[in-house]
Amino acid sequence: MANDAEKNPGILLIGAALLVMMGVIGTLVLPYFDEGVTTPTQTAKLKNYPTDSAEARGRHVYIREGCNYCHSQQVRPVRADSKLGPVSLPGDYYYDQPVVTGTIRTGPDLMWVGQRYSADWQHAHLLNPQKIGGAGSIMPKYTFLSKQDRDDLVAYLLSLKPAPQNKD
Amino acid sequence: MAQSTSLTAASPFPKGSLTVKFFFYTALFYLLASMVLGLIVALKSVNPDFLTGSRFFQEYFQYGRLRPVHVNTAVIGWMTTMFFGITLYGVPVLCKTQLYSEKVGLFTAAYWNLNYIVGAGSILAGYQTGVEYGEMPLLFDIGVVICVALTLWNLFMTAVHRKERVLYVSLWYWIASVMFLAIVYIVGNIPAGWAGPGSAQMNYQYFYMHNIIGLWITPVGVGTLYYLLPKLTQRPIYSHKLSLIGFWTIAAFYVWNGPHHLINGPIPFWLMKAGIIPSLLLLIPVWSVLANVVGTMKGVWYKVSQNISLKFLMTGTLFYGLACIQGPFQSLMGPHAILHFTYWTVGHAHMPLFAGFSLIQFSAFYYILPRVAYRHIYSRALMNWHYWLSVLGFVIFAFAMWTAGIIQGFEWMDGKQLGASFVEMMESLHIFLISRAVGGTMMFLGQVFFVWNVFKTVTAGRHVTADDEIFMKTS
């Protein structure tokens, strides 16, 4: 019934590992050879925050508080996203480490939120989303953030905008 | 060792490993914890001011921190711990021998639990990495890899020193899955967050997110299914060949599926196609498993009404099948454009993890517990309560999420993506979020019955007698 290869757990493990590594190479290694992925866009250069800038610290707060669990940062070339602004490109994320594209829009997409609202609006919204965004908003109040953290976070949010189109 | 007929009650080996019990009982703790966390998250979606009474709760029980802990506690805490217990029980049994090293097993169990608890705590304290599903800081990732490697070594050595010549198909699935877990965990957690440009990293994130389910939960769960099915029906597996096809196609196709989460997203077009095609090919392993189950069950379906463990197993298989019809469907560009980013995802993600493989794990728990604790399950009625609350709770939960997702998807197509119109749409979804919390509460109650039943079994269950079939059969 069973042939000899089926009786050897070593052969089994090596075969299975080879198949899996093929997929790892195909989906994880090959993208490094794609120019779209490996070339930063103007927007990416705008988001290449110097270490310890307010934006970099704000991004840290963004990750620490798990903002990416409700807000995506990714505009797709589909009808549902047509109001959100320019479609995001692979190169836009060049400097993002880690990347916070998100998987769900419990709240609106934040890819270009920096061009939509002012700093004052963001501060007021973080402190009381229901008052500013509307009673139906289910965003928690971020009153526990220190003034410093909130300033940094807002600086980060305001930096999320497309680079100005300069034709040279 | 001779065949089971010559075994006497005096040689009840290889049952009752302390390592197995350690993993089993601690898994129950994570099961309850993940349920409580999920419930809090669901209630916070209904009312954002829930549990924000003091600054402490506001900060450490904040949605954005609780959600990753909920996910990790479910996947790493409950499911992985439980599957370690199942494999550490099943591999020795199928090899007709003892676990290679009980000491290593116990050390793994202790280190595993300590590592996870502190790791989850560090997420709550604000040290999450920002990599979805892989939030635990590097220190604890290394701990996980060490434990997985120790378990793999222990299982492999058990298989090498086996007394049974033929490797039953569950052994393939189990041992290979632990190796897959090592690969997936290392690739998905160690470089994620720093290796290379952002778009390349998205692949690491989605590779991990998809394959912790596709290459760990799924194959080890299918192996458990193939282990339990002949036991609970007293029939051999319908087709050995089909199970092999299932195994090799899982290994070949599942791993390619990371990019299908980024369809229409910021990745090269060829990479999307490289994710979509294997997603459709997944129908091969899934249907080979289902065909095998249906073939085995032919003529004995009536046993589902007699054996609650089998009822759990069949329901789990059904939901696994449904999840794997949803998957390829969602990976098509059209449906993905509507369903991605919506609550649909939440319903879909819970189907394989809870309704699929958790149910199979419950089945395994009820089957194995008497064999390691030497006590019969305390209450059949409680088992039934556990079953119905879990299944009905999940159905309410999932349909609420799927419906909400479809509404969201089409409302966004109508332009309600931003500002006041977005909030207006949120209000219309309120009822679905409440339904989710109701379904979630039922799921949680089901688990309370489960854990209570296990507690009563271990403390007050009827002892297994010497002539019981549990002692008479070794494999």
Side-chain angles (χ1 to χ4, degrees), chain A residues 1-39 59-85 87-111 113 116-117 121 125 127-130 132-146 149, chain B residues 44-49 52 55 58-59 62-65 67-68 123 125-133 135 152 156 159-160 162 165-167 171-173 175-176 179-180 183-184 187 192-207 209 215 240 244 247-248 251-252 255-259 261-268 270-271 274-275 333 336-343 345-346 408-409 412-423 426-427 430 433:
Chain A
M1 177 187 93
N3 66 37
D4 282 339
E6 280 175 40
K7 290 176 198 153
N8 187 333
I11 293 180
L12 154 81
L13 284 185
I14 292 169
L18 283 178
L19 280 176
V20 168
M21 289 320 285
M22 263 170 60
V24 171
I25 292 167
T27 57
L28 296 178
V29 178
L30 288 187
Y32 284 98
F33 297 96
D34 188 288
E35 267 186 27
V37 171
T38 54
T39 317
R59 201 179 127 82
H60 177 71
V61 175
Y62 189 90
I63 289 169
R64 189 185 75 203
E65 303 304 339
C67 303
N68 51 321
Y69 294 108
C70 291
H71 298 280
S72 62
Q73 281 193 33
Q74 171 187 334
V75 179
R76 301 165 297 163
V78 298
R79 195 172 126 196
D81 291 12
S82 52
K83 281 183 103 181
L84 294 178
V87 170
S88 40
L89 303 169
D92 288 346
Y93 302 89
Y94 186 83
Y95 296 107
D96 286 7
Q97 288 183 347
V99 45
V100 281
T101 36
T103 48
I104 190 168
R105 282 179 191 159
T106 305
D109 187 88
L110 299 183
M111 185 72 189
V113 72
R116 293 205 286 270
Y117 301 108
W121 188 95
H125 185 253
L127 290 174
N128 194 344
Q130 283 69 38
I132 308 296
S137 167
I138 55 170
M139 179 159 147
K141 297 177 177 67
Y142 287 88
T143 43
F144 64 90
L145 288 182
S146 66
D149 279 353
Chain B
K44 275 177 178 283
S45 300
V46 174
N47 174 15
D49 290 330
T52 54
R55 199 186 163 280
Q58 252 191 327
E59 179 165 359
Q62 195 245 115
Y63 182 93
R65 295 189 190 184
R67 211 213 83 153
I123 298 176
Y127 293 100
Q128 54 176 317
T129 57
V131 177
E132 198 166 345
Y133 276 42
E135 288 89 355
L152 178 61
F156 186 78
V160 167
R162 68 189 181 278
R165 233 167 65 81
V166 177
L167 292 165
L171 285 175
W172 290 47
Y173 276 98
I175 298 178
M179 178 192 66
F180 292 156
I183 297 177
V184 168
V187 173
W194 57 267
S199 268
Q201 272 180 54
M202 278 180 208
N203 282 306
Y204 286 100
Q205 291 199 13
Y206 286 101
F207 172 87
M209 215 184 285
L215 282 180
H240 178 64
L244 291 190
F247 175 79
W248 290 110
V255 62
W256 286 84
N257 281 288
H261 294 258
L262 281 162
I263 294 162
N264 299 316
I267 56 168
W270 61 264
L271 193 55
M333 292 193 109
H336 193 273
I338 297 167
L339 297 174
H340 191 45
F341 290 135
T342 68
Y343 280 122
T345 321
V346 182
Q408 268 180 313
W412 289 343
M413 301 256 288
D414 286 344
K416 295 189 175 176
Q417 269 279 19
L418 292 171
S421 61
F422 190 95
V423 177
M426 292 286 314
E427 279 166 32
H430 199 63
L433 294 175

Side-chain angles (χ1 to χ4, degrees), chain B residues 294-309:
Chain B
V294 172
T296 309
M297 289 299 288
K298 198 177 173 199
V300 289
W301 281 104
Y302 68 91
K303 288 189 179 173
V304 172
S305 63
Q306 300 166 347
N307 187 332
I308 305 177
S309 224

